Amino acid sequence: MVNNKSINVSAFLFILCWFTVIVQLILIIINRQASVFETIIRFFTFFTILSNILVAIVFTANWFQPKNSFQFFNKPNTQVAIAVYIFVVGFVYNTILRFIWQPKGWDKVADELLHLVIPIVYILFWYYKFSKKEINFKSFFGWLLFPTLYIVIVMIRGYFSGYYPYPFLHIGNLGVNKVLLNSILMTLFFVVVSFVFYWINNVKGSKMK
């Protein structure tokens, strides 16, 4: 059960997450290199953005405690899956992508919030505050559906538009074989991270019985 103090923290994090996503959208439109419509589409092709939106929805659901479809985001299975996604966001960016560009001003603020602050805060909140009911192993495979579909959709769109949100997925620059290898490695990384979070969740869940 989530207490009132946790709900109050969720309210703050709900505001922080949506503020960050909206600020990043405004910045990408201001600094756009394509039409506004195309820029908005590109905005939603970033796994970082999609994962941060999922985090924002979790904190929204946790704050309002709705008795409707949003309750899906209060389920332990959903919350641990999103912990996997946002961990991958933070890890990949801070180990590989951080050194590609040097943002300044509001770009720097949004960048740090999206790739460092929110991933750390969400994972800590998930571990200490969210329910840790034991999860069936079959759920583990369901968590991989989102990143797998993401890669497929981004690759299909990139083929027709020539735009890829991440350099390690850019077929035009790297070639099909290299991108295929990168995609396989990313999928394997998701498998490893998913297993780790599945194990952490169930170990803590078994102790709470």
Side-chain angles (χ1 to χ4, degrees), residues 167-186:
F168 53 81
L169 295 177
H170 201 302
I171 291 179
N173 294 339
L174 301 178
V176 174
N177 291 339
K178 181 63 174 176
V179 170
L180 181 60
L181 175 61
N182 289 342
S183 299
I184 292 172
L185 291 175
M186 282 301 302

Side-chain angles (χ1 to χ4, degrees), residues 194-209:
S194 295
F195 181 79
V196 170
F197 275 82
Y198 166 81
W199 179 79
I200 292 172
N201 182 88
N202 281 13
V203 166
K204 191 163 186 179
S206 65
K207 292 179 179 179
M208 295 174 66
K209 285 184 177 180

Side-chain angles (χ1 to χ4, degrees), residues 47-95:
F47 192 81
T48 293
I49 297 301
L50 297 177
S51 297
N52 274 273
I53 288 175
L54 289 175
V55 168
I57 294 174
V58 168
F59 285 131
T60 303
N62 192 248
W63 182 21
F64 289 108
Q65 294 288 303
K67 296 180 180 179
N68 51 37
S69 58
F70 263 83
Q71 193 63 30
F72 171 79
F73 291 93
N74 278 324
K75 294 181 177 179
N77 187 40
T78 304
Q79 292 168 345
V80 68
I82 294 173
V84 170
Y85 307 150
I86 202 66
F87 173 84
V88 172
V89 165
F91 183 86
V92 172
Y93 182 83
N94 288 288
T95 58

Side-chain angles (χ1 to χ4, degrees), residues 14 25 28 64 101 111 119 200:
F14 149 81
L25 176 59
I28 200 173
F64 289 108
W101 75 311
D111 187 74
I200 292 172

Side-chain angles (χ1 to χ4, degrees), residues 22-173:
I22 293 170
V23 166
Q24 184 59 73
L25 176 59
I26 293 171
L27 290 172
I28 200 173
I29 290 175
I30 291 173
N31 300 317
R32 68 184 183 278
Q33 298 178 339
S35 68
V36 173
F37 180 72
E38 172 64 17
T39 298
I40 292 174
I41 292 178
R42 291 181 181 183
F43 178 75
F44 289 104
T45 64
F46 285 95
F47 192 81
T48 293
I49 297 301
L50 297 177
S51 297
N52 274 273
I53 288 175
L54 289 175
V55 168
I57 294 174
V58 168
F59 285 131
T60 303
N62 192 248
W63 182 21
F64 289 108
Q65 294 288 303
K67 296 180 180 179
N68 51 37
S69 58
F70 263 83
Q71 193 63 30
F72 171 79
F73 291 93
N74 278 324
K75 294 181 177 179
N77 187 40
T78 304
Q79 292 168 345
V80 68
I82 294 173
V84 170
Y85 307 150
I86 202 66
F87 173 84
V88 172
V89 165
F91 183 86
V92 172
Y93 182 83
N94 288 288
T95 58
I96 300 175
L97 301 175
R98 174 177 288 277
F99 313 103
I100 294 177
W101 75 311
Q102 300 296 325
K104 299 181 184 300
W106 278 104
D107 286 303
K108 177 70 172 178
V109 173
D111 187 74
E112 295 297 338
L113 287 171
L114 289 169
H115 299 105
L116 185 63
V117 176
I118 291 175
I120 291 174
V121 168
Y122 178 81
I123 291 170
L124 289 175
F125 196 89
W126 166 76
Y127 184 80
Y128 288 106
K129 298 298 182 181
F130 287 148
S131 172
K132 298 295 179 299
K133 294 181 180 178
E134 289 190 71
I135 296 173
N136 189 292
F137 187 73
K138 292 180 181 179
S139 300
F140 174 89
F141 299 98
W143 303 345
L144 301 175
L145 183 61
F146 174 58
T148 301
L149 286 176
Y150 169 81
I151 291 175
V152 171
I153 292 172
V154 164
M155 297 310 297
I156 292 174
R157 185 175 191 278
Y159 176 80
F160 289 104
S161 68
Y163 175 80
Y164 298 87
Y166 298 106
F168 53 81
L169 295 177
H170 201 302
I171 291 179
N173 294 339

